[in-house]
Each structure stands twice: as C-alpha cells, then as structure tokens.
Amino acid sequence: MNVNQSAPPVPPFGQNQPIYPGYHQSSYGGQPGPAGPATPYAAYNGPVPGYQQTPLQGVPRAPTPSGAPPASTAQAPCGQTTYGQFGQGDIQNGPSSTAQMQRPPVASQPAVLQPYGPPPTSTQVTAQLAGMQISGAASQAPPSSGLGYGPPTSLASASGSFPNSGPYGSYPQSQAPPLSQAQGHPGVQPPLRSAPPLASSFTSPASGGPRMPSMTGPLPPGQGFGGLPVNQPNHVSSPPAHALPPGTQMTGPPVPPPPMHSPQQPGYQLQQNGSFGPARGPQSNYESPYPGAPTFGSQPGPPQPLPPKRLDPDAIPSPQLNELSPQQKSRHRIDPDAIPSPIQVIEDDRNNRGSEPFVTGVRGQVPPLVTTNFLVKDQGNASPRYIRCTSYNIPCTSDMAKQAQVPLAAVIKPLARLPPEEASPYVVDHGESGPLRCNRCKAYMCPLMTFIEGGRRFQCSFCSCINDVPPQYFQHLDHTGKRVDAYDRPELSLGSYEFLATVDYCKNNKFPGPPAFIFMIDVSYNAIRTGLVRLLCEELKSLLDYLPREGGAEESAIRVGFVTYNKVLHFYNVKSSLAQPQMMVVSDVADMFVPLLDGFLVSVNESRAVITSLLDQIPEMFADTRETETVFAPVIQAGMEALKAAECAGKLFVFHTSLPIAEAPGKLKNRDDRKLINTDKEKTLFQPQTGTYQTLAKDCVAQGCCVDLFLFPNQYVDVATLSVVPQLTGGSVYKYACFQVENDQERFLSDLRRDVQKVVGFDAVMRVRTSTGIRAVDFFGAFYMSNTTDVELAGLDEDKTVTVEFKHDDRLSEESGPLLQCALLYTSCAGQRRLRIHNLALNCCTQLADLYRNCETDTLINYMAKFAYRGVLNSPVKTVRDTLITQCAQILACYRKNCASPSSAGQLILPECMKLLPVYLNCVLKSDVLQPGAEVTTDDRAYVRQLVSSMDVAETNVFFYPRLLPLTKSPMDSTTEPPAVRASEERLSSGDIYLLENGLSLFVWVGASVQQGVVQSLFNASSFSQVTSGLSVLPVLDNPLSKKVRGLIDNLRAQRMRYMKLIVVKQEDKLEMLFKHFLVEDKSLSGGASYVDFLCHMHKEIRQLLS
C-alpha cells in the first residue's frame, strides 16, 4: 500500500460509531501559579506566563542562570525515602499557563498559501508552548508564498487514547465521530499488525506556521472552545490559519473570518467531527443539546452559551480559579485528556490481548505490552519474557535504518522466572557428543535450521553453511521436509531449551563443584549501633535453610562461609567436628590471604550447631566496639581467594555501612561535590575514584565470584565506586539510607531473603549470534567483557537483563529475515554445567511504515534510558539529554515525512505504536540521574544509574511512569486491581485515597476531605488530622477496606524485584513534595517539563527537522 496516499473519503455520517470507554475530559482553568524554576525549554513560539523564569544551568536550550532555584525547606526525615530524598514539586492543582485553546474554523475550499506572521510579543499568548490549539482566527492576510495547508478531510477516531471531544462539545460514550473506512474496527489489533499504521495527530498551527495574535477580549459570539482532533489512519489535515500582516498587532476581539457555510447557503454545515453533513438533533447522553453548526457570518448571531468545562467530577478545583478575571477564565491550556494517555493504551492492550495466549509460532509478531497479563505458548520462538525487541520488523538496509533512527535492540533476560502455568525450558542431554552445532558459525541446533538430502545434512540458517548430521542424530524427513521427530525434540520445536554441557565446556576441562555463598558482615561501630548486626545474625539462622536447590533435591548443594570485618578481617572455622567456632584474624589487609581452608566453607546441615553458635556470638563479641573505620577492597579480595582455594564459583554477600577510609587497598576519600552538577565535570561524580576496583572485579569474574552489596549509609559512601565490583560481576546493590531497625527491618530482610533464594547461574558466558546482515555491536547491563562478543558474568540471576544493540553489516533478505540466538553457558546451583538457548526470528521490511507499525515503545525506552545512563559517565548531562531529544525528534520526523499522508506542518502526528514515546522519554529526562532535584544526593544518582542498567522492560516501565491507583473507587468485594489513573496532580481528588508505586517505593496519599469512615477503616484514626504522616505500615484491621488495601499492597510487592517500602503521605503535608516527585506528567521542581509542554517542544523540534 502506498503510505503517502491521500486521506480516505469521508464515510457516511450515519454509520455506527466506535465506543471509547473511560474517557474524561477535564479542562484546565485558572491562572499561573507562583513561578517556580524555569522549564528546560524555551517558550514555544512565544512566552508562557508562569514559565518565564531564568532556566536552570545545564538544561537543554536555555541560558545560564544567576543562581540556583529556590529549594523548599521541607524534606523527608532520614530513612523515609527509598533511594533518597527527592526534589520537591511546586505543582498546584490546575494549570500553570493561561493559554487559550480553540480550534479555528475549517474552510470548505483549499486554503491559500499564507505568509508567516511576526514573532509574537509578550501579549500574544495564544500560539505558544501551551497552544497545540489556536485561539480565534484573525483577519486574513493577503496571499503570498509560504507554508500552505492542504484541503480539509474528515477527522477520524482511532483506537488510541484520545477523548471523544469534537470542536463543539464532548462525545458521549454512545456517540463518537465517524470512523474512517480505511481504519477498521478500533481497538482490535490484528496479531501481526498488518493493517496500515494508525497515527495519532494533533493540530498545532501555532507552533511555527502562521502565528496568531492573542485574544484578550471575550470569545466572539458563536465560537465555543475547541478540542483537539482525534486520530485518523495516517493524518488529519490542519485547518487553514489566518495570519496577520507583518507588524500588525491585535488587542481587541479578532475580526470574524470570511464566511464558510452560513445557514442561508446551500450545502451541509460543519459537523462535530470537522466534516460536512446534515447537523444532528439533540443526542442522548450529551451534556447539552448539540448546538448545530455555528454561524460564521459577518453578522454574528445572538451569543451562544459556552459548553460547560467538563472537569473530572472528583478533581480538586484549582485554588486560584475564583481570583481570575473573566477574560483569563476564558483561556485554558491544551486539554490533557486530548493527548495520548499511557493508562488508556495499557488498558486497551489488556482488553484486546490479555485473554488469548500469545503463540510464538509466527515470526516477527509484536507481543502484548509488559503491563498485560498473558500466557505464552512456545512454538519455535523465545517467549517475550526472555527476549523483547525494540522493533519486530527490521529495515532491510543500513541506509533505511539510519534514516529512521529507531535503535535496533533486544532486551534479553536469559534466566527469567516464568509464571507457574508455563513450563520451564526442557533440558536436553546429548551424552558425550554434546549439543549439535554449525561447524562454521557455531550456532546451536534450533527450529530455524533446515534439513536437506533426506535428513543426512542440515543447512545453518545463520551462516548458510551445510553440515553433516551425525549418525546418532539422523532421522528421516516427512513430505514437508521436516524431521519426523521434530515435535519430540525440544531443540527442533521450541524457542527456548537447555543442553547439558560436556566437559569441553568447563574450565580446565574439569566439571565444577557446587557453588558457595560467603556472608561478609561489617562489625564497625555504625553497624553495631543501628542493630543491623544483631538483626542479620538472627535472620541468617533460619534463612540458611532456604538456599537455592536443584529441582526436587532435599537440601541445597551450596556451601557457606562467614567473615566479619572493620579495618581488619575475621575468618571463622565452623567445621562440624568443632564444639565452638574458631576465629582467625588477618590484620595485614594490604596482602590479603585466607588463613584456613578446611572448615571455612561447610554444608549447612552438617555444621548447623556450630553455625548457630557463631551467629549467636558475633553480636556479643563486637557489642562494645569503638572501631569506626572500615576497609572494603580487601574484603572482596578475601572472598575471592577463598573461592579460588576451594576451586568453585560462588557469591559474596557484603553488608557494609561507611566510606572505606582505613589504610588499605581501595581506600576512598569523600569527594561529594554538588557544585559540579550541571558542569562539564559532573561526569566525574559517576566515575569510580580509583582503578583498584575495576582490577579486582576482573579477577572476580575470572574466578566466578559474584558480589551482592547491601549498603547502610548515614552519609556519603561513594556508591559510584563501591558498586563497580557488583556491577562488573553481575551482582546487585541494595541501599538503605539512614537504616533504622524499626522502620527498615521488613524491607531489608525481604530483599535479603529474595536475594539468597533466587535462581542464579554462576561463572556464565553469554553470546548472541545473528544471521547474516546484522550483528551485535553494543551491550548494556551488569557484566564484564574481555572481548567484543562474549558477555562474561560471574553470576546471573533471574532479575538481570542484558541489552544488546544490533547494526547492519549487509543487506537483509525479506524471505529469511534476521535471526537471533542467545546462548548462555552457566553453572547451576547444583554445580551442573548447562547451556540455555533462546531463538527469535524477526521480519525485515523495505517500507518504513512496516518498521513503525511493529515497534515496542516500552523496550525502546528501556534501551534509551540505559544508553543515556551510560552516557553520563563520559559526557555532560546536558549533552546526553540533548542527544535523547534529538533522536526522538528524528524518529518521529522520519515517520511524519515518509509514512504519514501529506498534511499541515501545524499538526503533530505520532505513529500508533509510538504515541507514548514523548511522555515516556520526558520521564527519563526528568529522572534523578539526568535532572536531579535539590534533595537528590550524588549516591542516590549513582545507585539509580547502576540499578536501571540491568532492569527489564516491565521494571523500567513502572519506574519511569509510576502507577497511581485510586483505592476508594472500586467496589469492596472486587478482587482485581483498581484501574490506574494518570500520574498528574490534576487526577487527585481530595475526597480519595491513592496508592502510587514505581517498583522501588510505595506511597499512600490521603486527601484532606476523605470520609471519616474511610479514615477509620484504613488507619484506625478518628479523623484526617489524626492520621500519622510518614507512617510505614498500615494497621491490621478486620474490615473489608483494610483487608483489600493490604492485600493489594502485598500483591504489588510480590510483582516487583525489590521490596517497596510504604510511606503514608497526607495532602498539604511536608512529605507531599516527595510524593509529587512521582507525578511525572506535571512540571517538576527541578525544572523538568510537564508532559504537555514537552509534547509541544517535541513538535517544535520535529518541525525544525522537517523544514
């Protein structure tokens, strides 16, 4: 199909309309709030009241400031944040811009070419950042060369997230604008997305086309408020705009435009959806009768009442609304309901794709979103739980890929945990001969291979080499050319499976022993004083019974050892034959060695009595310590040497409290310097202080020694340096700032239990093979690479992902398409050497429209965040932010230029699959790593940076765009989660209670007008004022609401890889600033743009690229 074809004909006006459940159309009213720090973007074709402050330094496209933004003094008490105190938002309910939003009339003839008007002055607020719609049209300028607008077409609605709002009123549930015939039924996505790509479009002539003057008077009679046009298959043409002659300014009401279809004229009048046809009479469910076509004659008719602004009935009214002048009340910003909503897209995908299993037999099909619960049936391609791609249809040539700028990447989670309904990968044992492989490229046997010559040979689908089939593997082919035993062999019929590895795949040609866990406990003054050591020793007594075990094994094969340390190290002999444990002290930390071999690593069951005795004694032994200094590098060195001596792989669990300042290798100094933020030296804050830890990490990887670090800092500990070893060995970092047993015990113990029990592969090597035409060029995650192809992981657990970027090295053929094979060689927790194989076949295309139709925005954002977070190590943060914005603009501009039908540049047109790219990208740009608030510490930023580097797609999705769930709206007996609302303060109602989660934190926000009965049921408090702000646990009460909310919290915690600490926040409380940090659609205190402003900014960037 030609993607540049003209818009389809307008369908008959009487045909059935699609239904769009759940849209609200709340409008902004109000005037600018108190000015906060500026947005990072210059005004969009003119100044924006409420945003005209001096921008922050180091933020894109802004002059440098004379001072830092005023930070509010309110901050969360120590220990109440998840990864630190956040910047505090100054958002109020309602808008911070006074721009008007109104749609100009649509002409019935093609518009004449219009010149650009003069740049707007400070009074011209209509065509600015907030104006995707434009206010009343001005007098027409004489025709001249310049930007022309195409003829009008009908506006059609698509299955996206646009409200049913026409220019003159809102569509009810039962009546929506006519559906374009080319579009098909909305909301039902064909499995292969073979329909033409739907595009989301918005009209914004204001952004650089003919500019409109401001309208300071009331609206001319007969003109109501405009809404945004809704989706159409590829575009919606923009209405013509009427520019002023250069130098003209208008202060009074604009002159009405030339008449279009006056009531006296023959022909149809303008309809609700922008097309022409007989006007409807009053409709059922409309808030007011449909007023028919407005009279655009030169003689205005009697004034018509404006349609009522449809606020969310539960929305908190803007406090400034009553203080506005009548003129200001008539202006309002873009309706936030008229821009793509993540909540709606997630909901649509759940409804459309959640009920059917996702069958992986067809190559290149886009899976359901990560937010949808679905079952997977493996029929030859790996489950999306193991591999997700940024696009499932890759351009055939590198030129096409460069033109589109869509990164080609896969997020691979090789050991992902599957739901109980799905079978774990089968284990295939080929005996001493080992797995069958291609002789040339070494790809493993998989369903993609082709058998030829009656089954005696097979052709490799990765490199096309023809290989002999060994006699013991031979089988006849059926009439279709498939082996008759294909469905009996997992490697010939499934996308994911495991091979038992032979001795050739082992180090030194020797099978490995079972791995070991070594617990290394800081016993300095800080650790003893907070009660950490006592808590940990008590927990370990029972936790050691839950070490990971293989299949149905009665006990775990993993051996354990114990070390305590401050500025010297203490090793413990816990041999089963001893009556009491023995301690050996190593004070020469510069030349670390392990003082004992026999009795250091033991089986838990054999030495249980001695281990219990040791864990009882450790807190008593160091109870009176005054030693405050600690070492760090020698601790890891000691653990690695112990594993080396025992000739096994394993994991170190290090519990550490302070900056290692004692004289020893790896000694660090406090280098925390907030003055470096927004300077070229800011990148040094993310880089390690010393090269010691990189060298140490390299040795750990060679030994198969993975490090998990639990940090309990009261002040700066240089996470950027301490996390180097966990990061390079495939380990994890956990951080509990200002640890207090009563507040943080549950979170720490829950994380520790999960960390000890989860499935881990040790001493692993991963390689990603591709078919001819593309190759893996870049890797992101927690691992080490000594060459360009092998990802080396001392440990790899079920939560970790490796993100791989691909580039073209040749032309791809449309017949075979690109193929990926991820092979992971690892040692299981029972000491068995295995190979886990994941295969995925994609499509490739010669049309850009096919690429844009098969993209996955969540995976794209996961890749872009990791790319940016790695970029801050070597580039100024401002450069990284600019790079992201430019790439996003290029992706969308390429779509606009090559895939959308020709239309006015005044419209923002987004591909259906990528309509959430701007909102999600803005969340990445506003994140603490790229735009820190005043309260975010250097350690917090380094912690989040390394955490995101190995997150999977589901985790980055909720981390960057948190879920906000109203708790009192759904019925008490409902067992399902309440439907989420958008992450904006506008959506909060003071009569409600909301739960917000982002994968690391949980907030319960309590509105000031919540019913007393609800407060009593949930908090056991008699009124709102009696609720304790900062509460970290809900009281256990025997009533339906309390049970429901606590059940929901438990359910959310079970879904996430880390235990989310709960914080109760009251409306208008000082802790509310911390909560508002997560309302990502609003402007942030640190200068991050609101979603609406960023969307306008992206539109401006796209237009600059197109012009």
Side-chain angles (χ1 to χ4, degrees), residues 759-801:
V759 173
V760 186
F762 295 95
D763 207 1
V765 182
M766 184 179 116
R767 182 176 281 193
V768 178
R769 292 180 173 83
T770 53
S771 56
T772 312
I774 57 167
R775 62 194 167 90
V777 291
D778 207 352
F779 299 84
F780 304 81
F783 51 77
Y784 175 76
M785 289 186 82
S786 55
N787 57 38
T788 56
T789 55
D790 293 339
V791 175
E792 298 173 45
L793 304 120
L796 174 68
D797 63 51
E798 60 190 29
D799 295 328
K800 295 285 186 308
T801 64

Side-chain angles (χ1 to χ4, degrees), residues 519 521 533-544 560-564 572 574 580-581 604 607-621:
F519 297 90
I521 305 167
V533 175
R534 190 173 294 278
L535 177 70
L536 176 59
C537 289
E538 204 52 48
E539 175 63 24
L540 284 177
K541 289 182 201 169
S542 56
L543 185 57
L544 293 176
V560 297
F562 301 89
V563 173
T564 55
Y572 297 94
V574 283
Q580 283 293 322
V604 174
S607 301
R608 182 175 301 279
V610 192
I611 290 172
T612 304
S613 171
L614 170 67
L615 293 172
D616 284 336
Q617 287 175 40
I618 287 174
E620 307 307 327
M621 251 189 301

Side-chain angles (χ1 to χ4, degrees), residues 85 114 133 169 190 200 257 302 324 337 348 424 440 461 470 476 478 509 576 582 616 626 665 819 846 889 1023 1026 1097:
Q85 276 85 13
Q114 305 290 355
Q133 284 295 339
S200 309
L324 300 185
D337 280 326
D348 288 347
S424 297
R440 184 196 289 161
S461 46
H476 293 287
D478 65 14
N509 278 4
S576 56
Q582 296 172 346
D616 284 336
R626 287 286 169 266
L819 310 174
T846 52
S1023 67
Q1026 301 296 308
H1097 178 75

Side-chain angles (χ1 to χ4, degrees), residues 373-419:
N373 278 331
F374 60 98
L375 274 181
V376 179
K377 286 191 175 171
D378 186 342
Q379 291 192 358
N381 283 300
S383 161
R385 302 191 207 288
Y386 294 124
I387 306 180
R388 274 187 180 265
C389 296
T390 52
S391 178
Y392 287 79
N393 206 329
I394 288 180
C396 279
T397 63
S398 59
D399 291 346
M400 198 170 147
K402 280 179 194 146
Q403 187 184 358
Q405 287 286 318
V406 176
L408 305 175
V411 179
I412 306 173
K413 195 174 181 183
L415 298 178
R417 191 168 40 164
L418 299 181

Side-chain angles (χ1 to χ4, degrees), residues 289-375:
Y290 170 58
T295 53
F296 286 110
S298 52
Q299 294 294 318
Q304 289 199 355
L306 294 176
K309 290 187 187 179
R310 288 186 56 203
L311 284 167
D312 182 350
D314 297 313
I316 307 170
S318 176
Q320 294 86 11
L321 201 59
N322 301 327
E323 298 144 30
L324 300 185
S325 66
Q327 288 92 336
Q328 286 172 311
K329 278 188 183 177
S330 70
R331 303 176 183 168
H332 66 312
R333 292 177 52 180
I334 296 169
D335 181 357
D337 280 326
I339 52 181
S341 155
I343 303 304
Q344 191 62 48
V345 171
I346 288 168
E347 199 54 42
D348 288 347
D349 193 77
R350 279 184 182 154
N351 295 336
N352 297 334
R353 308 196 66 186
S355 52
E356 292 295 313
F358 177 70
V359 181
T360 70
V362 184
R363 93 175 178 196
Q365 52 178 337
V366 184
L369 298 181
V370 282
T371 43
T372 300
N373 278 331
F374 60 98
L375 274 181

Side-chain angles (χ1 to χ4, degrees), residues 3 128 157 204 264 317 351 392 443 448 502 548 630 646-647 734 754 775 784 807 849 868 914 966 1001 1101:
V3 293
Q128 63 195 2
S157 205
S204 173
Q264 291 78 26
N351 295 336
Y392 287 79
L448 308 169
T502 58
T630 57
E647 295 185 345
Y734 298 83
R754 185 155 193 271
R775 62 194 167 90
Y784 175 76
K807 289 258 164 72
M914 283 190 192
S1001 335
E1101 293 281 316

Side-chain angles (χ1 to χ4, degrees), residues 103 155 165-169 171 224-228 270-274 307:
R103 183 157 161 193
L155 303 177
S165 60
Y168 310 108
Y171 292 102
F225 286 100
L228 283 174
L270 183 65
Q271 265 196 42
Q272 280 174 293
N273 65 346

Side-chain angles (χ1 to χ4, degrees), residues 71 192 206 331 951:
L192 298 183
R331 303 176 183 168
M951 274 187 180

